[in-house]
Amino acid sequence: MLSTEGVLESGDQPCIQLEPLKSTHLPGKATPTGGSRAVSVENSPKVTANGVHDIEDRILRITGYYGYNPGYSSHRREDGSESRPETPGSDTSIESQSYQTCGNTVLKVLGGLLMVLCVSSSWVGTTQVVKLTFQSFSCPFFISWFSSNWNIFFFPIYYSGHVFTTGEKQTPIQKFRECSKLFGEDGMTLKLFVKRTAPFSILWTLTNYLYLLALKKLTATDVSALYCCHKAFVFLLSWIVLKDRFMGVRIVAAIMAITGIVMMAYADGFHGDSFVGVALAVGSASTSALYKVLFKMFLGSANLGEVAHFISTMGFFNLIFISCVPLILYFTRVEHLGSLSSLPWGYLFGLAGLWLVFNILVHVGVVLTYPILISIGTLLSVPGNAAVDVLKHEVIFSVVRLAATCIICLGFLLLLLPEEWDSVTLRFFANIADKKSEEHGEELTESSGQTRSRSQANGTISIPLA
């Protein structure tokens, strides 16, 4: 900037003097109030090290971007703080997180597959041990009562696993009281104990008792296949009672289950032990479905600890209140127990242990893996029992029974479809069609390019027609 202030005062020859830049004020513009020539830059955008921020603000100002405020470019977060540019370290952390997520998913799927094998094996073992027990001891209610008493051990097993995995130092009594909030804010009282536990315990006992009675009439394969119909009954009851979403494919699955039941009853004619066995197996599936729907209605939001607490509570209820039923059946000679030394304790302990393992795997597997895998494990018990019946017991299945079993299993698989399966399927086929169209377009482009290159190599020129 040029200045003549010193020349006018001293009277000497004028000279040119350079002064440092003090202000960015342009001529003709009004200065700020107070006579100060310094321009306030408090609200002006700050320039980053690479100048990207200032350039972006200028571009947004020139183009008139809607809602633009100076200093609020993409390099500022919502809270007003400037975002730092991405560094190789942040990319590495994102990649490591994605790898960790994929690893957790793979482990969950592998654990689910292992859980499927364990669930199906335990259920097949339970059913086959029941058939072996009936050869020397035919008291189904006593077997059901004895096995249900083992549910008491569910919560101690859960507590041991919880302490081992988390390292918490809660005492069993403290953890038991914490999980008893399932019965209400005040915990478990005698009134709530009887009110909440009695209906579920009765349904549990009826399910097991009818299942064992059906095994006396039918093969293990037929009973396990008929028991899979409980999935269709759960859907129907949930649709009617819980007002769940209506799905046409599940209605079709329910119809298939009913068709399989009718075919199974017709296999040997609508008379004799076969028809009675089918009725008992369907009754077991019905009480199981009612138990699950009521559990979902009253205790649907329970976690694993609360479920373990509830099942152990049912074991106590079974031991205290239902113990009178085996005694009544014994004195009325409906079930002849004999002496304690004559009981097949090996089979009884093995059966009760396998039944307890199955119940634990079902409830724990739903939390640790995907619930659909647990359902598949239950379904796989049908071919598992069929293999044992054919190889060990040399059972010959009729064509009608095989068709009925296949129809029931197919209906069970249809019931496993998620609620949004139709939209997911349509998107899947749409993506496939888009990929095929893109590949076809790329092939046409490549073929036209190859034709053009060949014509140029042969010296031919294509003249467009007018």
Side-chain angles (χ1 to χ4, degrees):
M1 179 180 179
L2 300 177
S3 177
T4 58
E5 294 176 354
V7 177
L8 298 177
E9 291 178 357
S10 61
D12 297 334
Q13 295 293 329
C15 63
I16 297 174
Q17 183 179 0
L18 297 176
E19 293 182 2
L21 184 64
K22 296 181 181 179
S23 174
T24 59
H25 177 65
L26 298 177
K29 301 291 181 179
T31 58
T33 57
S36 174
R37 299 177 62 186
V39 178
S40 175
V41 295
E42 183 176 355
N43 295 325
S44 63
K46 297 180 182 179
V47 181
T48 57
N50 53 5
V52 175
H53 186 183
D54 186 68
I55 294 172
E56 187 175 358
D57 284 337
R58 288 175 183 272
I59 293 172
L60 294 175
R61 189 188 305 112
I62 292 171
T63 57
Y65 178 73
Y66 295 104
Y68 166 72
N69 290 322
Y72 287 86
S73 63
S74 62
H75 290 269
R76 285 180 176 268
R77 297 195 183 101
E78 294 180 356
D79 57 354
S81 61
E82 293 185 1
S83 62
R84 295 184 176 87
E86 294 184 359
T87 60
S90 61
D91 295 338
T92 305
S93 62
I94 294 174
E95 291 179 359
S96 63
Q97 290 178 359
S98 62
Y99 288 147
Q100 185 178 2
T101 303
C102 293
N104 293 335
T105 304
V106 171
L107 289 176
K108 192 173 183 179
V109 171
L110 293 178
L113 295 177
L114 180 62
M115 193 70 69
V116 166
L117 295 177
C118 294
V119 169
S120 60
S121 301
S122 60
W123 191 233
V124 171
T126 302
T127 306
Q128 294 297 328
V129 172
V130 170
K131 298 289 288 186
L132 293 175
T133 307
F134 281 157
Q135 295 178 1
S136 59
F137 184 71
S138 181
C139 297
F141 193 90
F142 178 83
I143 295 174
S144 174
W145 170 81
F146 181 80
S147 301
S148 299
N149 289 336
W150 283 50
N151 288 333
I152 297 174
F153 300 109
F154 198 137
F155 184 81
I157 293 174
Y158 159 76
Y159 175 77
S160 301
H162 179 74
V163 171
F164 179 77
T165 54
T166 62
E168 293 185 2
K169 297 182 179 180
Q170 282 183 313
T171 61
I173 301 299
Q174 292 175 344
K175 191 64 179 177
F176 190 83
R177 289 177 178 174
E178 178 183 341
C179 296
S180 64
K181 293 180 180 179
L182 178 70
F183 293 90
E185 294 296 332
D186 298 333
M188 185 176 62
T189 60
L190 181 60
K191 181 180 178 181
L192 288 175
F193 170 73
V194 176
K195 182 179 178 181
R196 289 290 182 90
T197 309
F200 291 99
S201 183
I202 293 173
L203 288 174
W204 182 286
T205 303
L206 280 176
T207 300
N208 296 340
Y209 180 56
L210 293 175
Y211 188 84
L212 296 180
L213 287 177
L215 285 174
K216 294 184 66 175
K217 306 292 184 179
L218 300 175
T219 62
T221 305
D222 295 341
V223 176
S224 58
L226 291 169
Y227 183 75
C228 289
C229 295
H230 77 275
K231 199 77 174 177
F233 299 153
V234 167
F235 163 70
L236 294 175
L237 288 175
S238 299
W239 178 39
I240 297 172
V241 179
L242 302 181
K243 307 299 180 182
D244 283 359
R245 178 184 173 184
F246 173 82
M247 291 182 62
V249 66
R250 293 186 178 177
I251 289 293
V252 174
I255 294 174
M256 294 177 67
I258 296 173
T259 304
I261 292 171
V262 175
M263 292 178 64
M264 193 74 72
Y266 176 74
D268 295 332
F270 295 98
H271 57 79
D273 291 343
S274 178
F275 181 77
V276 175
V278 171
L280 291 171
V282 173
S284 176
S286 302
T287 53
S288 176
L290 183 59
Y291 170 87
K292 293 182 179 181
V293 171
L294 291 178
F295 189 92
K296 184 178 180 180
M297 180 186 297
F298 296 105
L299 310 171
S301 60
N303 54 33
L304 181 58
E306 293 172 343
V307 171
H309 177 280
F310 184 75
I311 294 179
S312 294
T313 305
M314 284 199 306
F316 279 110
F317 184 91
N318 183 80
L319 180 64
I320 297 172
F321 293 99
I322 304 184
S323 298
C324 60
V325 178
L327 295 176
I328 294 173
L329 295 177
Y330 172 74
F331 288 112
T332 55
R333 298 180 180 265
V334 176
E335 291 188 356
H336 181 68
L337 300 178
S339 61
L340 294 178
S341 60
S342 63
L343 296 179
W345 292 110
Y347 286 146
L348 291 177
F349 279 99
L351 171 61
L354 285 172
W355 219 323
L356 177 63
V357 169
F358 173 76
N359 292 326
I360 292 175
L361 289 176
V362 167
H363 292 90
V364 174
V366 171
V367 177
L368 298 181
T369 62
Y370 303 99
I372 188 173
L373 296 178
I374 306 303
S375 300
I376 293 175
T378 305
L379 180 64
L380 289 179
S381 64
V382 178
N385 282 313
V388 176
D389 288 341
V390 171
L391 296 177
K392 185 176 180 180
H393 303 291
E394 299 180 354
V395 177
I396 300 176
F397 297 101
S398 63
V399 178
V400 178
R401 289 186 181 276
L402 287 176
T405 302
C406 293
I407 291 173
I408 292 173
C409 293
L410 182 59
F412 188 93
L413 291 176
L414 290 178
L415 288 167
L416 297 181
L417 292 176
E419 293 185 355
E420 304 296 335
W421 72 274
D422 48 354
S423 60
V424 173
T425 305
L426 291 176
R427 285 198 302 267
F428 176 73
F429 285 114
N431 293 332
I432 292 178
D434 293 339
K435 289 181 180 179
K436 287 184 177 180
S437 61
E438 291 176 359
E439 292 177 357
H440 184 63
E442 292 176 357
E443 290 178 357
L444 290 177
T445 305
E446 292 177 358
S447 62
S448 61
Q450 292 176 359
T451 304
R452 192 180 300 111
S453 62
R454 289 175 182 173
S455 62
Q456 292 176 359
N458 295 330
T460 58
I461 301 174
S462 60
I463 300 174
L465 299 176

